[in-house]
Amino acid sequence: LSKEKACIMKKVDTIVYNSSSLLTMAGPNRPRAGDEMRDNSAVLNGAVAIENGVVIETGSTSYINEKYIAEKKIDADGKLVMPGFVDPHTHIVFAGTREKEMEMRLSGATYLDILKQGGGIHSTVKKTRAISLGDLHAISKKHIKWIVEHGTTTVEIKSGYGLDPDTEEKMLTEIAHLQEEGPLDIVATFLGAHTIPKEVDRKEYIDWLTGEALERYKDKAEFWDVFCEDGAFTLEESKKILKTAKDAGYKLKIHAGQFNDLGAAGAAALLGAISA
Ligand SMILES: [Zn+2]
């Protein structure tokens, strides 16, 4: 570079250049639907100028390299460069796996049949209650590694395999631990309303969800979620649980229409849930 040219170049801290394709996702700042969802505003051989963790400008590699100078330059070496995925719905903190149930489903049993027989959520609850926090952490770290390798940078994680006060707390404690350790941004959701635990009376459990539980997890969960489904919570119960959670200051999500349409999506819209 000549001295004159270096003077008019703008200094940034990082440039990523030489991508095969840079997905900028530029476009209207609102949720997209239909064909718009395919529009990723790709720049061939694109580059990004970054200052203080903020994207200053995107463009072709030659354009960015002429306009900006940076101490740290990352050669993408012909790879795809894109924003990280944001995954708003996971259940990655749990113990035990359920591949046996896959076999049952292949021979004709439905998810709801298996749940009624004490499998499904109940089988994961049993194992998640029994596991130590240390062992739960080891399993969760393995899942986090897979997520990172697939390009996700922000992930929501739900509790919901405790269905008792202490195990729900153990799950949320583990979710907080994962957030502390990094590298992902993690959002915690309380899903005590995943189903009714086998040993507790239905009314008693819903009383706990709409009472004591609200205060107990205040600092540990940002969202409150309900599984509105046959074998879990009715529409009326779901609405009651979410309404009290909203009044207590939680943001809402709902598992709506996974197997049967009980009207949960409509309730989610009325209550201002962020997803259904
Ligand atoms: Zn789910």
Side-chain angles (χ1 to χ4, degrees):
L1 289 178
S2 69
K3 255 190 186 161
E4 296 78 43
K5 195 158 184 210
C7 280
I8 54 166
M9 287 175 85
K10 203 173 163 216
K11 211 172 165 305
V12 289
D13 45 50
T14 310
I15 288 175
V16 183
Y17 68 104
N18 205 15
S19 67
S20 59
S21 185
L22 168 75
L23 309 189
T24 66
M25 312 313 290
N29 186 19
R30 54 173 164 76
R32 299 183 206 179
D35 281 347
E36 268 190 0
M37 289 171 73
R38 291 178 203 284
D39 186 8
N40 52 28
S41 299
V43 180
L44 289 180
N45 194 11
V48 191
I50 301 159
E51 175 75 4
N52 280 329
V54 176
V55 171
I56 300 294
E57 194 170 5
T58 59
S60 68
T61 288
S62 57
Y63 171 80
I64 294 292
N65 276 342
E66 269 181 30
K67 185 165 174 187
Y68 296 95
I69 189 162
E71 233 158 67
K72 186 176 176 191
K73 292 192 77 172
I74 300 170
D75 184 351
D77 194 24
K79 295 189 175 75
L80 176 77
V81 175
M82 53 174 266
F85 289 119
V86 176
D87 189 338
H89 185 144
T90 79
H91 303 250
I92 62 154
V93 171
F94 63 90
T97 53
R98 307 204 307 240
E99 55 274 348
K100 255 201 193 124
E101 293 178 7
M102 192 64 202
E103 214 179 295
M104 290 164 77
R105 286 172 79 168
L106 289 172
S107 44
T110 66
Y111 176 100
L112 294 175
D113 291 337
I114 296 168
L115 182 65
K116 273 177 208 147
Q117 288 165 26
I121 297 170
H122 297 298
S123 100
T124 307
V125 164
K126 209 170 151 193
K127 293 193 167 118
T128 306
R129 283 178 179 175
I131 200 172
S132 71
L133 192 51
D135 289 346
L136 187 62
H137 186 57
I139 295 171
S140 305
K141 282 299 278 183
K142 185 177 74 183
H143 298 158
I144 291 283
K145 184 170 173 279
W146 293 340
I147 288 175
V148 171
E149 284 169 358
H150 284 81
T152 295
T153 52
T154 300
V155 65
E156 179 260 22
I157 309 175
K158 301 173 196 294
S159 71
Y161 291 123
L163 310 186
D164 67 32
D166 289 346
T167 315
E168 287 297 318
E169 174 116 16
K170 180 167 76 182
M171 291 188 73
L172 291 170
T173 301
E174 171 53 22
I175 294 168
H177 190 181
L178 294 169
Q179 163 71 55
E180 260 165 47
E181 277 196 354
L184 295 174
D185 283 327
I186 294 175
V187 177
T189 296
F190 174 77
L191 179 59
H194 205 176
T195 191
I196 308 278
K198 298 197 114 223
E199 73 286 0
V200 183
D201 167 72
R202 186 170 199 97
K203 184 181 175 301
E204 198 183 309
Y205 192 63
I206 295 172
D207 284 350
W208 177 69
L209 288 171
T210 54
E212 258 172 65
L214 294 164
E215 186 59 37
R216 177 157 182 172
Y217 305 112
K218 227 165 200 167
D219 300 327
K220 293 207 144 101
E222 187 175 340
F223 286 90
W224 210 260
D225 194 346
V226 176
F227 188 21
C228 181
E229 185 56 72
D230 292 347
F233 295 87
T234 67
L235 179 63
E236 283 316 306
E237 289 165 347
S238 301
K239 287 203 288 205
K240 181 181 173 193
I241 292 164
L242 290 178
K243 175 81 173 54
T244 53
K246 187 178 184 175
D247 292 345
Y250 293 94
K251 294 184 228 166
L252 308 181
K253 291 173 177 241
I254 189 163
H255 280 67
Q258 187 167 335
F259 302 107
N260 298 289
D261 182 8
L262 307 187
L270 286 174
L271 284 160
I274 66 126
S275 68

